[in-house]
Amino acid sequence: MELRVLTYFLAVAREKTISKAAEVLNLSQPTLSKQLKELEDELGVTLFIRGNRAISLTEEGIYLMNRGKEILSLVEATTSNLTKNDVISGEITIGGGETSAFEFIGKLLEELREHHSEITIHLYSGNADDVLEKIDKGLLDFGLVIDPVEKQKYEYIRLPLFDSWGILVNKSHPLAEKPTVQPKDLLHTPLLISNQSLVDNQLSEWLGGNIEHFTIIGTYNLLYNASLLVKQGVASALCIDGIVNTADTSLTFIPFSPSLIANINIVWKKNQIFSNASKEFLRLLKNAK
């Protein structure tokens, strides 16, 4: 599969008609149609459902669209870093979960760009599972992940920071006036928890060993949308402090008692070949530790 043809396919998937995509690509419609048909023949699948006014993607087409975006993003980053090898420039891609520790990373990036203004930064938000998957695929240089997370197959630096767990509640909730909450306080409270794979174990241990005794009504990936459900009184959310700004809102955060803290790490692939920009960021990170 040629990258040029993959670009054509993504343009059609985005524009939803051959005519619009051909116009964007500065190609004739017959030429574009021929390229797409040859792509389908090469792969042995049908990528499009062709309608009277617009086209839609088959399941195979959706899969190729998602992977195609990743492929072109990786090619673009690689090309940028190779062609700018004479100076410290290029791209740094960093993924991370929701944590105020990103302020620490932000200060390093500010220092980096003060001396190397040609560096560009791409951020991706997701939980640890999402971030590590993208690191494995080479789509991220670094990941900011919050324990518990499996780090054995990665290089990592533990930051001199930690996050504290607690519960986000509506101020009208009976728990809202308490300075801290204990496991017994949560027995009859509808709860939302993070869907990060290893967090369940950590929370289960804090809750007394059996999370099934509690009313878990759902999970969240990133906390903001979950906080909107908390505002509506649908549930309360077990979460990390400082992610959602509760000032002048109907929400309040209550820390756990006994406290539950989580260490924060920067991870990257073992034997990773970094661009000059990423090498310089890693140098600053090691010096700041």
Side-chain angles (χ1 to χ4, degrees), residues 220-233:
Y220 64 85
N221 181 26
L222 299 177
L223 183 61
Y224 176 74
N225 286 342
S227 74
L228 299 181
L229 298 187
V230 177
K231 282 184 179 180
Q232 294 300 317

Side-chain angles (χ1 to χ4, degrees), residues 111-126:
E111 179 181 350
L112 186 63
R113 292 202 76 256
E114 281 181 359
H115 297 93
H116 311 290
S117 60
E118 292 190 24
I119 289 175
T120 56
I121 302 155
H122 301 283
L123 302 180
Y124 170 81
S125 295

Side-chain angles (χ1 to χ4, degrees), residues 156-288:
Y156 70 94
I157 293 175
R158 177 166 290 172
L159 300 184
L161 306 164
F162 63 86
D163 281 329
S164 298
W165 280 88
I167 186 169
L168 188 69
V169 302
N170 191 295
K171 288 180 179 177
S172 64
H173 195 281
L175 295 176
E177 298 302 320
K178 295 178 70 69
T180 61
V181 294
Q182 301 178 26
K184 64 181 181 180
D185 298 323
L186 306 180
L187 278 171
H188 305 295
T189 298
L191 299 173
L192 297 167
I193 63 171
S194 168
N195 66 3
Q196 184 175 323
S197 60
L198 294 180
V199 165
D200 275 359
N201 296 333
Q202 185 184 43
L203 289 176
S204 180
E205 183 177 347
W206 183 85
L207 289 167
N210 196 340
I211 204 169
E212 294 178 359
H213 291 165
F214 295 82
T215 309
I216 310 297
I217 71 161
T219 63
Y220 64 85
N221 181 26
L222 299 177
L223 183 61
Y224 176 74
N225 286 342
S227 74
L228 299 181
L229 298 187
V230 177
K231 282 184 179 180
Q232 294 300 317
V234 176
S236 300
L238 303 186
C239 63
I240 286 170
D241 191 14
I243 297 175
V244 172
N245 183 2
T246 60
D248 301 318
T249 72
S250 60
L251 302 175
T252 188
F253 177 86
I254 311 168
F256 286 165
S257 178
S259 64
L260 179 62
I261 63 172
N263 294 309
I264 305 169
N265 313 275
I266 285 280
V267 305
W268 62 95
K269 286 176 69 172
K270 287 184 177 179
N271 303 314
Q272 172 82 329
I273 299 175
F274 282 128
S275 67
N276 287 341
S278 294
K279 287 178 184 176
E280 185 65 10
F281 172 75
L282 186 59
R283 183 189 69 79
L284 290 176
L285 182 65
K286 290 180 176 179
N287 288 341

